[in-house]
Amino acid sequence: MAFSLNTYPIVYRARYTATGWQEEYLEKPHKTPQEEENLPEAEREKLANSRNYYDDMPLVNYTTQYGLGCFEGLKALPQKDGGLAIFRPDQNGRRFSRSMAGLLMPAFPEDRFLQAVTEVVRRNAAIGFRPHYKKEWEKDSFMTADSIYIRPFSYAEGGIGVAPSKFPYVMVITTPVSAYFSAERSRATTTNRIRATPNGTGWIKAASNYVISTLAKYEANKAGFMECIFLDAREQKYLEEGSSCNIFVYLKSGELVTPELGDTILPGITRASVIELARDMGVRVSERKLSIEEVLSEGAECFVTGTAAGVTPIESLHHQGKEVIFNGGKVGELTATLRDTLKGIQYGTLPDTKGWMLRV
Ligand SMILES: *Cc1c(COP(=O)(O)O)cnc(C)c1O
């Protein structure tokens, strides 16, 4: 399993109070990483599992009852020189603060966010909970490389009336992660489910947005596809994004297109980074409406982007009985170049000329 729930022991918790944000670092039950590795599997799981329980937090609240919560996802990556670095955490901090404000919660300050994610990674690493750089990852462009997934999220105070959270918690947990998307099967299909509607919460990294994504992705998987692609709510004609990732299509004309941002599309940080990298390479990049018909007839390469997905090539896209196979089913040249460039910057084998990596 790529996404394990083996959370690292040190957790950040803040709570908004009448006098502002109160912060603390919790140390959940653990042994040394080596001792944990040597435990029988059932015991190891029990220990890891116990780190996911908090008996001093309210069960009935606006998050568990009504889905009023938001989260972030970012990564700390082992560097060639032995260190750890986080990819663009300032951008996640900004988005998190906007998400909280968008859900009518007190926005979590961006400087606290930066401090918290860095400190959680640092403190866990100090007691041995961290992956180490392996030279062999370079052979397959870091497709099998390990990293630390950082998951900040909000959690409401107790309450059962329908109302926004006034005094939320902000938690930051971390978990080791290896390659998330499998390399071989990357067929995608459109879904007729609607992920986000105009004037809704699609632009917020809201927990509730994942209800529809979960259903649609499950259905796509059952039908033999890796990913589902959502179309716009009004006309069911224009591409929006995947279940948890943004989408790009490289057209035969040489134009790289990704749907323009609006209130139904999540502004991905990987998306923004890929746009910048592609433009630096001299590629014509457009953020505009992209119809499914245009993709079916003009698509040459296709990929999805996200913190978990990185740049993941899409081999084919199915839509109502029609199917476009991109680049004969092989990973396209532009897709591969963008994927390798991003990975190279993230793992420190390429120079970080844009200042995207924050050293822990
Ligand atoms: C998080 C997310 C993405 C990807 O954003 P990144 O910042 O690149 O990780 C795309 N779509 C949805 C719906 C998301 O929740």
Side-chain angles (χ1 to χ4, degrees):
M1 195 173 69
F3 245 129
S4 72
L5 228 192
N6 180 7
T7 57
Y8 285 155
I10 314 281
V11 170
Y12 170 88
R13 181 166 69 182
R15 191 173 181 192
Y16 193 66
T17 68
T19 54
W21 292 96
Q22 309 289 334
E23 304 180 287
E24 60 187 327
Y25 289 88
L26 310 174
E27 185 163 348
K28 305 297 281 182
H30 70 92
K31 299 177 183 294
T32 69
Q34 195 55 52
E35 283 165 356
E36 290 195 10
E37 213 160 285
N38 294 337
L39 287 174
E41 192 176 329
E43 264 183 68
R44 188 172 62 237
E45 271 185 19
K46 199 171 157 202
L47 178 59
N49 211 26
S50 74
R51 299 203 275 261
N52 193 30
Y53 285 78
Y54 296 79
D55 59 15
D56 57 351
M57 294 179 78
L59 176 67
V60 178
N61 70 23
Y62 311 110
T63 306
T64 58
Q65 306 304 300
Y66 308 120
L68 277 161
C70 56
F71 66 92
E72 272 303 322
L74 63 165
K75 276 181 173 181
L77 306 111
Q79 302 294 293
K80 204 172 175 152
D81 63 11
L84 286 166
I86 309 179
F87 182 68
R88 307 193 76 176
D90 55 318
Q91 299 296 307
N92 295 86
R94 197 164 79 175
R95 190 170 64 189
F96 190 59
S97 155
R98 287 181 183 166
S99 289
M100 289 189 78
L103 296 177
L104 308 181
M105 285 185 266
F108 193 59
E110 294 172 38
D111 56 340
R112 279 191 199 272
F113 181 98
L114 268 185
Q115 173 78 27
V117 296
T118 315
E119 196 60 25
V120 166
V121 172
R122 189 180 290 141
R123 289 184 186 217
N124 280 296
I127 54 170
F129 287 86
R130 56 156 297 177
H132 289 275
Y133 191 93
K134 294 200 185 83
K135 183 96 183 118
E136 69 206 50
W137 294 341
E138 292 170 21
K139 275 183 263 164
D140 64 358
S141 307
F142 300 96
M143 293 283 285
T144 57
D146 300 327
S147 57
I148 301 168
Y149 184 76
I150 308 167
R151 168 57 63 86
F153 60 96
S154 73
Y155 190 84
E157 74 275 24
I160 199 164
V162 175
S165 168
K166 288 196 196 71
F167 299 108
Y169 297 88
V170 167
M171 315 275 302
V172 180
I173 62 100
T174 50
T175 179
V177 65
S178 49
Y180 178 47
F181 281 101
S182 80
E184 336 105 61
R185 284 186 76 73
S186 58
R187 297 172 64 229
T189 180
T190 58
T191 169
N192 56 14
R193 288 193 185 268
I194 309 291
R195 190 194 81 93
T197 54
N199 301 320
T201 58
W203 61 278
I204 298 172
K205 211 165 169 75
S208 56
N209 291 341
Y210 273 77
V211 176
I212 302 295
S213 289
T214 302
L215 303 179
K217 181 156 184 172
Y218 181 81
E219 289 160 356
N221 289 163
K222 278 201 103 174
F225 299 96
M226 180 204 71
E227 183 57 298
C228 60
I229 304 299
F230 290 99
L231 301 176
D232 73 287
R234 281 210 175 90
E235 297 179 73
Q236 284 278 282
K237 179 175 172 189
Y238 299 103
L239 269 66
E240 295 230 311
E241 57 179 308
S243 62
S244 57
C245 43
N246 297 108
I247 187 163
F248 286 76
V249 180
Y250 189 44
L251 302 176
K252 291 171 190 166
S253 64
E255 180 189 15
L256 180 63
V257 186
T258 190
E260 65 198 332
L261 295 179
D263 59 3
T264 60
I265 292 184
L266 199 286
I269 293 154
T270 320
R271 174 189 179 280
S273 308
V274 162
I275 290 173
E276 212 174 312
L277 293 175
R279 286 196 174 131
D280 287 353
M281 291 168 190
V283 177
R284 184 156 49 95
V285 186
S286 309
E287 297 176 70
R288 64 165 171 87
K289 277 190 159 55
L290 176 65
S291 74
I292 182 67
E293 291 309 325
E294 187 175 6
V295 176
L296 288 172
S297 69
E298 302 303 319
E301 295 183 26
C302 180
F303 58 86
V304 289
T305 64
T307 295
V311 170
T312 294
I314 297 294
E315 153 190 337
S316 62
L317 179 60
H318 177 273
H319 173 69
Q320 296 178 354
K322 294 179 217 159
E323 186 169 54
V324 51
I325 297 173
F326 302 105
N327 197 44
K330 294 193 300 288
V331 178
E333 203 180 310
L334 178 63
T335 305
T337 306
L338 288 168
R339 178 188 64 194
D340 296 349
T341 305
L342 186 65
K343 289 278 189 208
I345 294 170
Q346 291 180 330
Y347 283 95
T349 55
L350 290 177
D352 173 27
T353 56
K354 295 172 182 295
W356 282 348
M357 305 307 296
L358 180 72
R359 283 277 166 171
V360 172

